[in-house]
């Protein structure tokens, strides 16, 4: 998979994305990540990329022309028009399901990072395929959202993580939150690791993890739980685990009241 990022701060993205798992995967050729400095595509000595908004108001708007020149250059490098996403609080919310959709549908993705009061709508109308938001809040620029999207997509690419379960067992993949995790020592500040995790009973561990995933989702994200398709749980054993989770969650709620 190839992801290009149009930005005013390529060094910031390179510093972050060049580290750890994503950085190693890039060095080994499992993924391709390229950053593009929008200022290099201006036509003035000041390398100006913004100007006052028509109609008045505070701040500045990124101009369509340098964005378009940069976008054209990326299209030429990729060899085709990449699926172009503008990181914007006005877009649809980015979720794991959206990530799966993008990963399945597009081999080449271009992420556009806005700044100031946003970008000229004409560039969006002509070049952008979709706008994505990280949630109901506003940041000073699109770099953090773009890195989040790139990281989420890249970690699903073959070779980036040791095996597929490294991301399919995590929060949101199946519509649930992940179960609690523990490591050494067995006891810390008087808090013990759940005995089942020390038992060597792999089936019991799997059941415990599934049950805790249900309970955590019910407690922390009732909106996710409401959308979770319980009818997909077919076997008697799995239904039993689900019922145990519901009973334990209900008992916990009663104790807290």
């Amino acid at each position: 998979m190839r992801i290009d990022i149009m930005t005013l701060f390529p060094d910031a993205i390179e510093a972050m994305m060049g580290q750890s798992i994503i950085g190693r995967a890039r060095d080994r050729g499992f993924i391709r990540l390229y950053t593009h400095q929008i200022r290099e595509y201006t036509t003035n000595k000041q390398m100006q990329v913004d100007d006052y908004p028509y109609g008045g108001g505070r701040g500045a708007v990124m101009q369509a022309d340098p964005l378009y020149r940069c976008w054209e250059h990326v299209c030429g490098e990729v060899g085709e028009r990449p699926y172009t996403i503008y990181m914007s609080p006005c877009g649809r919310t980015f979720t794991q399901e959206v990530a799966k959709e993008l990963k399945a549908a597009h081999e080449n993705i271009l992420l556009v990072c806005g700044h100031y009061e946003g970008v000229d709508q004409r560039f969006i109308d002509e070049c952008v395929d979709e706008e994505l938001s990280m949630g109901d809040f506003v940041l000073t620029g699109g770099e953090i959202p773009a890195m989040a999207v790139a990281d989420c997509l890249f970690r699903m690419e073959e070779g980036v993580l040791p095996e597929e379960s490294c991301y399919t067992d995590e929060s949101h993949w199946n519509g649930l939150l992940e179960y609690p995790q523990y490591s050494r020592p067995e006891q810390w500040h008087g808090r013990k690791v759940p005995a089942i995790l020390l038992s060597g009973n792999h089936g019991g561990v799997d059941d415990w993890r599934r049950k805790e995933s249900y309970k955590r989702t019910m407690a922390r994200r009732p909106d996710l739980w409401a959308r979770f398709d319980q009818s997909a749980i077919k076997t008697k054993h799995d239904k039993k685990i689900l019922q145990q989770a519901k009973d334990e969650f209900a008992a916990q709620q009663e104790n807290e009241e």
Side-chain angles (χ1 to χ4, degrees):
M1 174 175 238
R2 171 175 176 149
I3 294 179
D4 291 80
I5 302 178
M6 289 170 48
T7 172
L8 297 177
F9 301 97
D11 290 345
I13 292 175
E14 291 289 347
M16 184 64 193
M17 300 297 287
Q19 303 296 315
S20 190
I21 293 170
I22 299 300
R24 291 195 294 271
R26 184 189 191 184
D27 292 341
R28 293 170 183 169
F30 293 120
I31 58 176
R32 292 176 292 165
L33 172 68
Y34 302 94
T35 57
H36 306 270
Q37 170 57 269
I38 299 168
R39 292 191 186 279
E40 294 180 1
Y41 300 89
T42 59
T43 57
N44 56 70
K45 293 181 180 179
Q46 295 77 24
M47 301 183 77
Q48 181 182 351
V49 296
D50 62 287
D51 210 330
Y52 296 112
Y54 279 122
R58 298 175 61 86
V61 175
M62 292 183 69
Q63 297 168 298
D65 198 53
L67 287 165
Y68 180 74
R69 291 172 182 270
C70 184
W71 178 82
E72 272 196 317
H73 175 81
V74 175
C75 291
E77 280 197 351
V78 174
E80 65 177 22
R81 174 185 174 132
Y83 189 74
T84 304
I85 299 171
Y86 170 48
M87 306 309 304
S88 163
C90 297
R92 68 165 170 162
T93 303
F94 183 69
T95 65
Q96 189 67 53
E97 287 303 311
V98 173
K100 292 181 195 177
E101 173 192 318
L102 293 173
K103 177 72 172 59
H106 307 288
E107 185 63 26
N108 298 305
I109 291 177
L110 169 57
L111 305 175
V112 181
C113 302
H115 267 272
Y116 315 119
E117 296 302 311
V119 309
D120 192 308
Q121 183 64 39
R122 292 169 294 184
F123 170 77
I124 297 174
D125 293 341
E126 183 153 341
C127 302
V128 171
D129 297 299
E130 175 174 9
E131 298 180 44
L132 282 182
S133 168
M134 300 309 292
D136 297 335
F137 54 89
V138 178
L139 300 173
T140 54
E143 282 73 23
I144 292 174
M147 286 190 284
V149 170
D151 187 289
C152 185
L153 293 174
F154 278 149
R155 68 196 310 275
M156 293 187 287
E157 189 74 3
E158 184 177 356
V160 175
L161 298 178
E163 55 188 62
E164 190 176 275
S165 63
C166 292
Y167 57 84
T168 59
D169 285 349
E170 292 186 327
S171 292
H172 301 292
W173 184 263
N174 60 356
L176 299 169
L177 299 183
E178 188 181 14
Y179 49 81
Q181 298 275 15
Y182 297 87
S183 185
R184 291 178 176 80
E186 292 181 17
Q187 190 169 161
W188 178 80
H189 288 201
R191 300 173 184 270
K192 297 181 179 180
V193 173
I196 185 63
L197 300 182
L198 308 175
S199 68
N201 180 352
H202 298 299
V205 170
D206 289 342
D207 290 346
W208 179 88
R209 286 174 169 171
R210 197 178 327 156
K211 184 171 62 175
E212 292 302 311
S213 175
Y214 291 150
K215 289 163 58 179
R216 177 174 278 190
T217 307
M218 284 186 265
R220 300 186 182 185
R221 291 293 302 274
D223 58 320
L224 286 181
W225 184 251
R227 296 196 297 269
F228 179 65
D229 183 11
Q230 298 182 34
S231 66
I233 300 174
K234 301 297 185 182
T235 71
K236 289 184 178 180
H237 180 75
D238 290 343
K239 289 180 179 179
K240 180 182 178 180
I241 298 300
L242 175 61
Q243 189 58 51
Q244 288 176 350
K246 290 180 177 180
D247 293 343
E248 291 180 17
F249 175 70
Q252 182 179 345
Q253 293 294 100
E254 289 181 6
N255 292 333
E256 292 176 354
E257 292 178 355

